[in-house]
Amino acid sequence: MLWAANLSQIYPLLSKLEKKGYVQHGVIEQQGKPNKKEYYITDNGRSKLKEWIEDEKPSEPIFRDEFIIKIYSSWLSGPETTITLLKERQHFTEELEKLKNDQDADFTDYQKGYSSRYYLLSRRLAIINIELEWTDRLLKSLLAQMTGSANK
């Protein structure tokens, strides 16, 4: 599942992995729309992934969220722009929150990797809930400030 990933960044990575023999793809024919590729991990890819998981220390997390930079700099544009940004982010996170209803997998089957998918989904949903609470508080505060300043 690709959540909010930028697909233009994913495809070159998949292509590189395919050239190394770590993944392969099949074509799924579709009616009325272009066929799509579905990628599968190969035995070689599974071995390499297992080796990486067991032997490599995770790197420090990198946080690149253009939204946060825009919010931080929104004083240049004023509260209306900030409110628009927050409402757009709320809509985005509300759409992601719908992932809660993902009933496609038996999350108890550890061997199939579904439990790992569930771990990541649970983490993402917790982050989404925090972000929704934060955007809601900030929106209420900004709207109150704007209404208060308009009444003066």
Side-chain angles (χ1 to χ4, degrees):
M1 175 185 310
L2 302 175
W3 293 338
N6 182 345
L7 293 181
S8 65
Q9 294 173 347
I10 297 294
Y11 291 130
L13 176 60
L14 288 171
S15 179
K16 287 178 186 178
L17 291 172
E18 191 167 29
K19 285 178 185 171
K20 291 181 178 184
Y22 299 149
V23 299
Q24 61 186 17
H25 78 272
V27 176
I28 298 176
E29 294 185 21
Q30 302 186 108
Q31 299 294 328
K33 50 186 169 179
N35 294 339
K36 67 179 181 178
K37 287 183 179 181
E38 186 169 69
Y39 286 86
Y40 305 91
I41 191 167
T42 63
D43 288 340
N44 188 24
R46 189 172 281 109
S47 294
K48 189 69 172 175
L49 179 60
K50 183 178 183 293
E51 178 185 317
W52 175 75
I53 291 168
E54 293 172 352
D55 297 338
E56 299 257 345
K57 179 183 174 191
S59 61
E60 294 293 321
I62 299 171
F63 299 103
R64 290 182 222 167
D65 190 343
E66 188 177 307
F67 167 74
I68 297 300
I69 296 167
K70 286 186 173 202
I71 290 296
Y72 182 78
S73 305
S74 66
W75 61 270
L76 291 167
S77 297
E80 295 84 4
T81 301
T82 307
I83 288 168
T84 300
L85 288 168
L86 289 167
K87 286 182 178 180
E88 288 170 358
R89 188 60 159 225
Q90 271 186 326
H91 176 71
F92 171 76
T93 53
E94 286 166 353
E95 289 299 310
L96 287 177
E97 193 175 35
K98 292 177 184 175
L99 292 171
K100 277 190 214 177
N101 300 322
D102 187 354
Q103 301 296 323
D104 294 343
D106 175 9
F107 292 127
T108 60
D109 192 341
Y110 190 81
Q111 294 302 315
K112 290 185 179 177
Y114 294 140
S115 56
S116 297
R117 182 178 174 196
Y118 175 72
Y119 302 154
L120 295 179
L121 179 61
S122 297
R123 178 184 181 274
R124 184 65 180 147
L125 290 172
I127 292 167
I128 287 168
N129 286 330
I130 290 168
E131 186 149 311
L132 280 171
E133 291 171 11
W134 177 78
T135 54
D136 187 50
R137 279 194 319 270
L138 193 51
L139 271 171
K140 286 178 183 173
S141 174
L142 283 169
L143 291 170
Q145 287 176 27
M146 289 177 66
T147 304
S149 63
N151 291 334
K152 290 182 179 181

